[in-house]
Amino acid sequence: MNIGVLQFSIRLPESHSLKEKRQVVKSLVAQLHNRFNVSAAEVEDQDLWQTAVVGVACISNDKKHTNEVLSKALVFATTYDIELLESNIEIIDY
């Protein structure tokens, strides 16, 4: 079994309130879950207007598949009106 974790930091330049930020992040997290069958959540910077850190987790029996799903999820996230600041994928063999 492999557990894959993707964490990425984003900047939302068009966000001028927490309400605007949460609408974008909530939509992004829901789309990641629906399209890629992963768990996703905002994990840091909840009180900042223009930045967020999103965590995504995937469990699979194939390391290559886990990496592929998380990489595609990251590419999909960049289609939103966001600026990707940094990202990190870690795959743990269990």
Side-chain angles (χ1 to χ4, degrees), residues 11-26 42 45-52:
R11 190 169 90 75
L12 300 108
E14 299 300 319
S15 176
H16 300 292
S17 70
L18 284 175
K19 186 176 181 179
E20 288 179 11
K21 172 197 168 180
R22 288 187 179 128
Q23 286 176 337
V24 173
V25 173
K26 187 175 181 179
E42 181 180 5
D45 295 343
Q46 285 94 341
D47 294 334
L48 300 178
W49 290 6
Q50 292 188 330
T51 61

Side-chain angles (χ1 to χ4, degrees), residues 12-77:
L12 300 108
E14 299 300 319
S15 176
H16 300 292
S17 70
L18 284 175
K19 186 176 181 179
E20 288 179 11
K21 172 197 168 180
R22 288 187 179 128
Q23 286 176 337
V24 173
V25 173
K26 187 175 181 179
S27 173
L28 173 60
V29 165
Q31 287 294 319
L32 288 170
H33 175 73
N34 292 337
R35 289 179 184 252
F36 300 100
N37 197 24
V38 295
S39 294
E42 181 180 5
V43 295
E44 289 180 28
D45 295 343
Q46 285 94 341
D47 294 334
L48 300 178
W49 290 6
Q50 292 188 330
T51 61
V53 179
V54 177
V56 181
C58 176
I59 297 176
S60 173
N61 61 349
D62 182 14
K63 195 174 196 176
K64 182 180 175 187
H65 175 72
T66 304
N67 188 41
E68 190 175 296
V69 168
L70 294 176
S71 296
K72 286 181 180 181
L74 181 61
V75 169
F76 172 77

